[in-house]
Amino acid sequence: MHSENIVKLFTAENPAALIDRAELTECVALLAKLCSSKQPIRFASEPGGVALTAMNGDIQAETSIAADVDARFSAALPAAALLKLMKKGTPSSTAILELLSHEADPNAERLVANKCAIQLAETRFVLDATPTDLFPEPIRHVEGTKVQRFSIASAVLWNAIDGTIDAVSTDQTRYYLNGVYLHSHNGRLRFATTDGHRLYIQDTNVQTGKFEVGAILPTDGAKFVASLLDGHASADPVKVEISSSVAVFVFRDVAVTLKLIDGSFPDYLRVIPADPDKLATIAGGELSARVASLVECTGAATVYLKFSGEQLVIKATGPSGDGMTGMECAYQGEEMEIAFDARYLRSAIEAASPDGRSMRMRMADPLSPALVTGSVGGWTGVLMPTKA
C-alpha cells in the first residue's frame, strides 16, 4: 500500500478503513450470497484489518481482510448496494470507507454511523449504514458444551450435500426432516435426507472413530455451504466443528456457522430393503430422457416400469393421453411392473448417475421400496413406489 494513501486516510476525523479493492470485492461477493437485497454486512475493526459478518436467520458467515483501519471502525452496510459499487464503481486499486454521523463523539469507543462514505479513486459515494448495535448477536457454541472437531475434503463435502439435498422434506410439521442429517455410521461420516417418499444416503471415507456425530443441518444452511464450495474444490480440507446446537464449517477463509435443527432424525435404516432379489441395470441418462419425454407429452405424474428379460417398457397416462416407449435393460428376476412418481424417479436417476451412465435398481415386488445406485461411489437411494 502506498504511504500517501495511508496519510490521506487518517487525516479524517471520522473512523475509516483503507482496503485493497479486489480483496474487498471478493469478500463482499461471498457474503452477499447469504443476504437478501437490503440485508447488511457488518464491518468491525480488528488488529491488522476488518472483520466482516453476514447473517440470515440461523445462518452466519464470517471472514476478515487486511486493512489500515481506525480502531473505532464499525458499520453495517447493505450487501447488494456495496457489491454493485465495488464491481461497477470508478476503477481503483483501493477503497476507503469513512463513517459519517450527525452526532459524532470523538471519544467514543465505536462511532454509531448512519452513513458511510466510500472513496474509489477520485469518486466518492455515500451509502446508508445500519447501526451495528441493531445487528443480530453472533451464533456461537454454547459455553461449556462438548464440541467435536474433524476435517473433510471440500469435494467430498460438496458431493455429499449436492447428492442428498433434493430429498429433504419441505413439510414444516415434520421439521426434523427439513435438513441434512450428518452422522456417524459404522465408524464413518454419513449424510442422509428423506421426505417420506425417498431416502438419499451418501457415505464418505471420513472416519469418526470413537466419537459419535449427529447433527441435522438446516436446508438453507447446507445449500449455502454447497454454494461456496461449488467450483472451488481445494487441497485444503474443510474444518468442521459440531456441538449440540451449532455446526461450523471453515474453508476459503470463511467460517459458516449454522444453528442445528433441534430434533431427532428417524431411524431410516428400517425402510431400507434387506435383500431385493430382482436387479435391473439401465443407462440412467436414457431412462431419464424417456421418462421426461413421456411426462411432457402426457402430463402424467406417475410412470410405470415393466421389466422383462432384456427389455424395459415405460408407460404413462395423463390428462393429454397415453404414452409408451421401450429401451434395453439387463434384468435379472421374474417379470414385474412397478410404478414411481416421475419427478422422484428422475431425481434419483440424476443423483445416482449424474454422468448418465449405468445405474442399478434392486427390487423385491411392486409395493416394496427400490434400491437405486449408480456411478457415484457411496451413494444409495431408496425410492418408494406409488400404488399401481
Side-chain angles (χ1 to χ4, degrees):
M1 283 181 186
H2 299 296
S3 59
E4 60 268 21
N5 286 337
I6 297 174
V7 172
K8 186 177 180 180
L9 169 66
F10 290 110
T11 56
E13 293 183 359
N14 296 323
L18 173 66
I19 309 175
D20 181 89
R21 182 174 176 176
E23 293 183 23
L24 178 59
T25 302
E26 181 179 1
C27 289
V28 172
L30 280 174
L31 300 188
K33 291 184 177 183
L34 182 58
C35 304
S36 64
S37 60
K38 294 185 179 180
Q39 283 182 305
I41 294 174
R42 183 180 64 187
F43 291 73
S45 56
E46 63 178 13
V50 177
L52 289 75
T53 306
M55 296 184 70
N56 191 341
D58 294 339
I59 312 169
Q60 171 184 280
E62 301 170 278
T63 189
S64 60
I65 185 170
D68 290 297
V69 60
D70 185 297
R72 298 170 297 148
F73 189 87
S74 178
L77 305 177
L82 181 60
L83 180 59
K84 184 176 182 179
L85 185 55
M86 288 299 102
K87 288 185 173 181
K88 303 293 186 180
T90 306
S92 65
S93 60
T94 60
I96 299 175
L97 280 62
E98 179 185 352
L99 301 187
L100 307 175
S101 174
H102 295 307
E103 300 177 358
D105 180 359
N107 298 317
E109 183 179 347
R110 283 283 193 272
L111 179 90
V112 179
N114 52 28
K115 301 283 184 181
C116 181
I118 301 174
Q119 191 82 23
L120 301 177
E122 301 304 319
T123 306
R124 183 179 175 88
F125 303 86
V126 177
L127 295 179
D128 289 331
T130 302
T132 51
D133 56 0
L134 299 180
F135 202 81
E137 288 294 316
I139 303 172
R140 296 286 185 259
H141 296 296
V142 176
E143 187 175 353
T145 59
K146 182 179 179 182
V147 179
Q148 297 167 330
R149 296 177 173 85
F150 57 92
S151 297
I152 181 171
S154 57
V156 172
L157 178 58
W158 179 86
N159 182 71
I161 296 174
D162 184 68
T164 58
I165 198 74
D166 198 42
V168 169
S169 174
T170 57
D171 183 355
Q172 297 300 315
T173 63
R174 297 193 293 173
Y175 64 92
Y176 47 84
L177 299 182
N178 299 160
V180 179
Y181 182 39
L182 185 157
H183 60 295
S184 304
H185 179 74
N186 294 334
R188 296 180 184 274
L189 195 64
R190 168 180 276 191
F191 295 70
T193 59
T194 183
D195 58 7
H197 303 284
R198 56 209 163 136
L199 165 69
Y200 290 175
I201 297 169
Q202 180 64 59
D203 287 308
T204 74
N205 59 0
V206 178
Q207 296 184 353
T208 58
K210 296 181 180 180
F211 63 86
E212 288 293 319
V213 175
I216 306 176
L217 309 178
T219 303
D220 288 344
K223 286 182 177 179
F224 177 64
V225 170
S227 74
L228 297 188
L229 289 167
D230 192 10
H232 293 275
S234 168
D236 296 328
V238 178
K239 297 179 181 178
V240 184
E241 296 180 357
I242 295 180
S243 64
S244 59
S245 60
V246 167
V248 183
F249 299 86
V250 182
F251 57 99
R252 294 185 65 189
D253 296 323
V254 178
V256 179
T257 305
L258 312 177
K259 286 185 181 179
L260 301 176
I261 294 176
D262 184 12
S264 298
F265 204 80
D267 181 11
Y268 63 85
L269 296 176
R270 295 182 302 172
V271 305
I272 301 177
D275 190 22
D277 59 349
K278 300 173 180 64
L279 170 63
T281 303
I282 321 163
E286 182 179 354
L287 175 59
S288 180
R290 289 178 180 270
V291 169
S293 176
L294 284 179
V295 169
E296 185 175 354
C297 293
T298 65
T302 301
V303 293
Y304 296 81
L305 308 182
K306 185 175 182 180
F307 296 95
S308 177
E310 300 298 315
Q311 185 74 12
L312 167 61
V313 176
I314 312 164
K315 298 184 293 182
T317 299
S320 301
D322 302 335
M324 182 174 68
T325 186
M327 60 180 288
E328 292 183 358
C329 168
Y331 177 67
Q332 301 172 19
E334 296 179 354
E335 181 178 299
M336 186 186 76
E337 183 175 89
I338 188 169
F340 292 107
D341 179 284
R343 183 169 62 90
Y344 295 155
L345 176 60
R346 292 194 67 208
S347 168
I349 294 169
E350 291 166 6
S353 293
D355 56 7
R357 296 183 181 180
S358 178
M359 57 169 282
R360 293 165 294 284
M361 297 182 66
R362 298 181 182 274
M363 300 158 286
D365 57 67
L367 299 180
S368 298
L371 275 176
V372 181
T373 56
S375 58
V376 177
W379 189 92
T380 302
V382 180
L383 196 59
M384 296 296 296
T386 60
K387 293 182 180 180

